[in-house]
Amino acid sequence: MNTLGWQQLVGRIRPNVLNSLRQLRSENLHTGNLENTEQRIEVADKVVNIASPLISTALAGVKSQNEHFNNQTSVLDSLRSINGHINFRQEYAKGIPNFLGYVYHSLHGSISLHTNQLPLALDLARLKVPIVASPESQHNMVWRISPLMGWSQALSVNCTDNWQYLMKAYESWEWLRDMFECESTYHISLVAYYMALKIHERAAKIASNSEANLNPQYLNIPLDFLFIEEYEIKRSATSSLLQNPAVSELWECEDVSLEQMKNSWEMSIEQYDSQILHFYDQSYLRFLAEIPPEYLNFFDVL
């Protein structure tokens, strides 16, 4: 397929997605705020299923590694702009565009890491997009917008619930199996992506030279990638990131040196316990003992 054909394909899919979401709103999103998490998951499943033709087509473009098809950043804007076309009225439903954005950038980053295209993942994470519902039409980078990092009211204000939703995606979404060979590969790629975001977050804080940004309670990237039981998933994700030839772009894009990252990384790791106590239940502290040594000493191993 040529570039024009690809663009026409995406152009045909987008209005179908919007029409189906309008129908869902009229049929299912009239009951007010859903307090039951299971009910919200049911609606989230329906929303993702409707959007899946657009998401899966974009991911296929990334997986192709063809420079004519692998730049799929515009799909994020398409998913997040749906409220302007549909006008979700319920408070929780207003979070659906950001929830779709969270799902999309997480899968986009995962397939980018899986296909050794770290710069593509970083390009999307650093893309400046409108802050939905901002009174002054403010913009910020994707990784700096909390609802896009897992604090999405559409499913749960708890980032761990949103993370668990992503972790279960492989068994739930058949189309995702066309992107990754097995569930383990998907999990490794997803964890590696969020590890990459965490490393980049540290570089950005160093570059900003702001004491407020170095506060351990100031957290953009959640730590849920550490809170999985499978130790080998975390270890394999760290190894794949260490071996990625473009890994240095995570800090060099902020004009931060390797030496600066080495000097700051130990402090960053030491702050994890403070971040866990601030954002999570204390029981999660046990996972600190299960962080792979390669991740703890990332810049010494590099």
Side-chain angles (χ1 to χ4, degrees):
M1 181 182 292
N2 57 29
T3 305
L4 179 60
W6 183 270
Q7 292 172 342
Q8 290 174 337
L9 174 62
V10 174
R12 289 194 300 270
I13 292 173
R14 186 175 184 274
N16 291 336
V17 168
L18 290 174
N19 289 335
S20 297
L21 286 171
R22 287 191 187 97
Q23 185 67 23
L24 178 67
R25 183 198 67 175
S26 63
E27 292 178 356
N28 298 89
L29 301 182
H30 61 277
T31 58
N33 292 332
L34 301 180
E35 299 298 333
N36 188 306
T37 301
E38 290 183 359
Q39 290 177 312
R40 292 194 176 197
I41 290 176
E42 183 179 347
V43 173
D45 285 341
K46 291 179 180 178
V47 168
V48 172
N49 185 57
I50 289 171
S52 63
L54 183 58
I55 295 174
S56 60
T57 300
L59 296 182
V62 175
K63 187 176 182 180
S64 74
Q65 303 183 57
N66 185 318
E67 61 181 8
H68 297 295
F69 308 132
N70 67 353
N71 186 346
Q72 296 294 330
T73 56
S74 63
V75 172
L76 179 68
D77 181 63
S78 295
L79 293 170
R80 294 184 73 237
S81 64
I82 60 175
N83 199 41
H85 298 276
I86 299 176
N87 189 24
F88 291 117
R89 296 184 181 90
Q90 293 79 7
E91 197 59 37
Y92 89 93
K94 290 178 181 177
I96 286 176
N98 274 330
F99 174 71
L100 284 174
Y102 167 67
V103 169
Y104 176 66
H105 90 77
S106 298
L107 298 182
H108 176 280
S110 300
I111 197 66
S112 296
L113 268 291
H114 178 51
T115 54
N116 205 29
Q117 299 179 92
L118 176 57
L120 274 184
L122 190 57
D123 285 346
L124 183 59
R126 287 170 53 82
L127 184 69
K128 281 196 171 185
V129 297
I131 301 175
V132 173
S134 171
E136 300 176 358
S137 299
Q138 296 176 332
H139 288 63
N140 210 339
M141 291 185 185
V142 167
W143 73 270
R144 289 186 181 275
I145 300 176
S146 294
L148 291 177
M149 289 298 112
W151 287 275
S152 169
Q153 67 189 74
L155 181 60
S156 170
V157 294
N158 185 330
C159 62
T160 300
D161 290 339
N162 287 279
W163 173 261
Q164 289 300 324
Y165 186 82
L166 285 180
M167 288 291 288
K168 296 174 182 176
Y170 193 87
E171 62 188 58
S172 302
W173 307 335
E174 186 174 348
W175 50 269
L176 197 57
R177 296 167 207 162
D178 294 330
M179 306 297 153
F180 300 92
E181 293 78 10
C182 62
E183 187 174 41
S184 177
T185 300
Y186 165 62
H187 285 165
I188 290 169
S189 303
L190 181 63
V191 171
Y193 173 56
Y194 274 86
M195 283 182 173
L197 290 179
K198 197 67 183 173
I199 292 168
H200 175 259
E201 177 190 48
R202 192 64 188 180
K205 290 182 178 182
I206 295 171
S208 69
N209 196 28
S210 167
E211 289 298 323
N213 283 353
L214 292 174
N215 188 308
Q217 294 182 356
Y218 181 89
L219 181 68
N220 287 104
I221 312 303
L223 291 170
D224 293 89
F225 62 87
L226 295 175
F227 305 156
I228 58 175
E229 300 291 344
E230 299 85 351
Y231 180 83
E232 282 307 313
I233 296 292
K234 292 180 282 192
R235 188 161 194 166
S236 297
T238 307
S239 298
S240 68
L241 199 54
L242 282 166
Q243 295 166 14
N244 195 296
V247 67
S248 62
E249 290 195 26
L250 294 173
W251 53 89
E252 289 177 353
C253 67
E254 294 284 349
D255 293 324
V256 172
S257 69
L258 177 59
E259 192 64 29
Q260 286 175 294
M261 291 299 293
K262 285 183 178 180
N263 293 338
S264 179
W265 189 244
E266 184 177 350
M267 181 190 301
S268 176
I269 296 295
E270 288 174 353
Q271 290 176 343
Y272 279 10
D273 58 349
S274 297
Q275 293 173 351
I276 289 174
L277 290 174
H278 184 71
F279 287 95
Y280 302 92
D281 185 272
Q282 189 171 354
S283 62
Y284 285 102
L285 283 171
R286 69 183 178 88
F287 286 98
L288 291 179
E290 301 172 6
I291 302 177
E294 296 92 339
Y295 183 76
L296 288 171
N297 306 302
F298 192 90
F299 291 94
D300 292 327
V301 177
L302 191 66

